[in-house]
Amino acid sequence: MSSSLSASATSAGILSAFVGFASSFAIVLHGLSGVGASAEQATSGLMALAIAMGICGIGFSLWKRVPISVAWSTPSAALLATSGLPEGGFAAAVGAFVFAGVLVIITGLWKPLGRIVGLIPVTLAQAMLAGVILPLCLVPFEAVAEIPALALPVVLAWFIAGQINKLLAVPAALLAFLVVLYFHADTSSLNSLKLVQAPVFVMPEFSLSALIGIGIPIYIVTMASQNIPGVSILRSFGYQPVPGPLFSWTGVGSVLSAPFGGHGISLAAITAAICANEDAHKDPAKRYWAAVIAGVVYIIFGIFSAGFVGVVELAPRILIGGVAGLALIGTLTVSVQGMLKDAPSREPAILTFLITASGLSFFGIGAAFWGLLVGMGLKFWMDWKQKGLQSEQATEKA
């Protein structure tokens, strides 16, 4: 092990875990709170997710000897933040988390389901994600208008650091957030801050509206924005993992973490590159140690998640939402580019985006589902009309 575990792999693993955790844990807390989780339940969810990520990342990397990084599904957390309280409360949301995890397991084991998911145009999946994220990305600037003394330094730190290195933008914003808290918040309660909390078990309840409005969108977003890109990133560095078993085992991790508040884990996309590039190790066969170290760090972060939550709770809620929104601006940029990439699909994509961003709800089912449903209906209708037109033109020429 000593000959394989290098200083570069160790530093890459620590950096990957720090960036992955620091850049999005506020989004996870915000999302879980949005579907009814109490502070203790949200803390438990954060802990369950981080530990599940760590265990799966270590297990995958040692099993395949490939730097396979695992992350919580950040886009899904953003979706939760805009879904609203489901009928049945947080227990119903937990039932939807279990359902989404089971769908991921089936996708890995049963290829026809993967092909069905493949029928969803990428442009519409990106449009749904962009619509989910847009309201959250507005919050940092709403915070600047409402509490400029607290929010403006955070936004400036994010912007300046991002011009130097995109990976440093959100950690810099988080650091500025902590500095602002130190000078403006009542930190006397930190003396009694709990660093560790016991997990909180929530018995899942299965509500049809929550399964459709939360579970299915989580599944689609996780597959389209995390799992599939995660495999693509590994392949871009020359690794050829078989995706089915990886999908299924992340689904198992999601199902096991759900009763403790976890909304779902997946293959990492952005942070995967940190462990897979040559900075982690000159020898591609030894880079998997970076992902192993990242997994260990995630577990440590998970154990002490109560401390992170305790510090964050000192801040006004709009400021927490602002940090979460800054962390999603990069994802919004990529999603908007993706949804407009295919000219014939732009109208359905824009409709999907607008309906999702509107936040409308029917029958207890949230906007993400309706946006995707309407967008797909319009897309298939336009494709059918186009095929009919082409058939008529071919007949006339004949």
Side-chain angles (χ1 to χ4, degrees):
M1 175 176 171
S2 59
S3 61
S4 300
L5 180 57
S6 64
S8 59
T10 301
S11 60
I14 293 173
L15 176 63
S16 173
F18 175 76
V19 170
F21 192 93
S23 65
S24 55
F25 83 91
I27 303 170
V28 174
L29 293 176
H30 197 54
L32 292 175
S33 299
V35 288
S38 65
E40 291 77 15
Q41 289 168 335
T43 301
S44 176
L46 190 69
M47 175 174 60
L49 289 168
I51 292 174
M53 288 154 53
I55 292 172
C56 285
I58 293 169
F60 288 165
S61 300
L62 292 177
W63 174 30
K64 299 292 186 180
R65 295 295 193 268
V66 170
I68 301 170
S69 300
V70 178
W72 46 49
S73 179
T74 303
S76 297
L79 186 149
L80 295 177
T82 59
S83 293
L85 184 67
E87 183 181 345
F90 187 56
V94 169
F97 302 163
V98 172
F99 178 61
V102 170
L103 289 178
V104 174
I105 294 172
I106 296 172
T107 302
L109 296 175
W110 190 51
K111 291 183 180 179
L113 181 56
R115 286 194 286 268
I116 292 172
V117 174
L119 293 176
I120 299 172
V122 174
T123 52
L124 299 191
Q126 293 285 10
M128 182 183 72
L129 180 58
V132 164
I133 291 173
L134 177 63
L136 298 174
C137 291
L138 298 176
V139 175
F141 310 103
E142 294 169 356
V144 169
E146 184 173 321
I147 45 173
L150 292 130
L152 190 57
V154 176
V155 174
L156 288 175
W158 168 83
F159 177 77
I160 293 170
Q163 302 311 300
I164 300 169
N165 187 322
K166 295 295 183 185
L167 286 176
L168 297 177
V170 177
L174 185 61
L175 180 61
F177 169 83
L178 295 175
V179 171
V180 164
L181 279 188
Y182 180 78
F183 286 105
H184 292 274
D186 179 9
T187 58
S188 59
S189 61
L190 290 178
N191 295 326
S192 57
L193 180 68
K194 290 196 306 181
L195 294 178
V196 179
Q197 174 194 292
V200 178
F201 181 82
V202 178
M203 179 62 70
E205 294 182 7
F206 297 97
S207 157
L208 183 60
S209 61
L211 296 183
I212 296 174
I214 296 177
I216 291 177
I218 282 180
Y219 166 67
I220 294 171
V221 165
T222 298
M223 292 301 301
S225 302
Q226 297 274 156
N227 280 338
I228 294 172
V231 172
S232 299
I233 286 173
L234 287 172
R235 287 175 175 167
S236 73
F237 286 99
Y239 300 102
Q240 299 297 326
V242 178
L246 301 181
F247 294 164
S248 292
W249 280 111
T250 57
V252 170
S254 297
V255 171
L256 293 177
S257 65
F260 301 100
H263 69 282
I265 64 172
S266 60
L267 298 182
I270 297 173
T271 54
I274 299 176
C275 294
N277 68 34
E278 65 178 11
D279 291 337
H281 204 290
K282 295 296 182 185
D283 183 356
K286 296 179 180 178
R287 292 175 192 167
Y288 70 92
W289 282 110
V292 172
I293 294 298
V296 172
V297 176
Y298 274 133
I299 292 173
I300 295 171
F301 282 161
I303 292 170
F304 295 103
S305 58
F308 291 100
V309 176
V311 171
V312 167
E313 284 184 336
L314 296 175
R317 184 160 291 275
I318 192 170
L319 187 60
I320 300 170
V323 175
L326 291 174
L328 289 167
I329 288 177
T331 305
L332 177 64
T333 302
V334 174
S335 298
V336 171
Q337 290 173 340
M339 79 179 195
L340 298 176
K341 181 172 61 176
D342 180 27
S345 298
R346 283 176 186 165
E347 187 177 350
I350 289 294
L351 195 59
T352 298
F353 168 71
L354 292 175
I355 292 173
T356 303
S358 72
L360 64 81
S361 175
F362 291 114
F363 311 113
I365 299 171
F369 174 81
W370 297 116
L372 186 61
L373 184 66
V374 172
M376 287 185 64
L378 179 59
K379 178 70 168 62
F380 290 138
W381 165 252
M382 291 174 63
D383 288 347
W384 181 78
K385 282 181 61 180
Q386 183 64 27
K387 287 180 181 178
L389 181 61
Q390 289 173 349
S391 177
E392 288 179 7
Q393 292 174 342
T395 301
E396 289 174 359
K397 288 180 181 180

